Amino acid sequence: MRLIESMKCSEKRILLFFLSSATIQVLILYFLDGRSLIDSLYATAATLTTVGFGDVSPSSPLARLLYIPTMGIGVLMLPIVAVSIYEMHQKKVRGLNNSTQKDHVVILGSSNEIITSTIMEIADFRDICLVSEIYDLNPFQGKVHFIKGSPIEKVYLIKANIAEAKHVIVETGNDSTNILATALARELNPSAEIIATITSEERYGTLKSLGANHVINTDTFTGRLLASAVFEPSVVDLISDVTTSLVGHDLVEMDVPEKLLGKAVGEIILDLKTKDNLTLLAIYRNRENIVNPAMDMVLEDGDKLVVLV
């Protein structure tokens, strides 16, 4: 289906013409010559691929007469169809095709390590479109739709169908380009959740004012982990464990089950642990985490639970 959607109008016409010719050949053999459907399909495939075994062929004069032009059309168009399919595949691999995805995650990235780890974490759960200049060919075939281009040029964000995206991840390796990419993403999609990275704490406010919902200071976070490793290595090991969904434990945000609404945290902790083996860490309310909530705190509609799985 995606192959057909990615075709240009001219390519679709060529394919339609080729398939029409093949269909006519099958119908001639089946209705005019009295062949079985299997024999008709077999003979048509043999003709179009120029194999021409000759064990099944039109026998009546009318069938032979009508078969001649369709044979010529099919044989002449087969190379054109093959080349068209090859070119479409090459365009897709080289990041030249527009995305038709919806509710997807757009990654605007320039760091191979960060791009790779991000894709490995979410590829099984979300459709992804990657916009990057650092690759010549799609290195994540089968996992993402690739757009080769600058994350700070509007034309490539439009090709990524960012207007229909649900989330946008901005990591270009430079605070200035992160700011510009965030501004462009917000301009093109006023409702997407934008997650952006910075290395300078001074740029935090700028990114937030431009519409980033979440800002991660990668250098500061790394520095904190390094310092913690000196005094609390077990804490660093735990953070490494729970920040990946690939192995070990994981931190998960989940909607509050309807049966738990209106109940106190103390009751919820027991329910989650005994029935689902989940540990409640925080309640996300009004875009803020309430860590280690009080036991008598009551869950409200719109709350989310942050749990350890």
Side-chain angles (χ1 to χ4, degrees), residues 295-306:
M295 299 293 282
D296 59 352
M297 181 179 178
V298 177
L299 284 187
E300 300 174 357
D301 189 26
D303 287 347
K304 292 184 181 294
L305 306 179
V306 180

Side-chain angles (χ1 to χ4, degrees), residues 14-32:
I14 291 172
L15 180 59
L16 180 61
F17 197 41
F18 178 76
L19 293 176
S20 298
S21 174
T23 302
I24 291 171
Q25 291 185 42
V26 172
L27 294 176
I28 290 172
L29 289 170
Y30 184 73
F31 287 107
L32 296 183

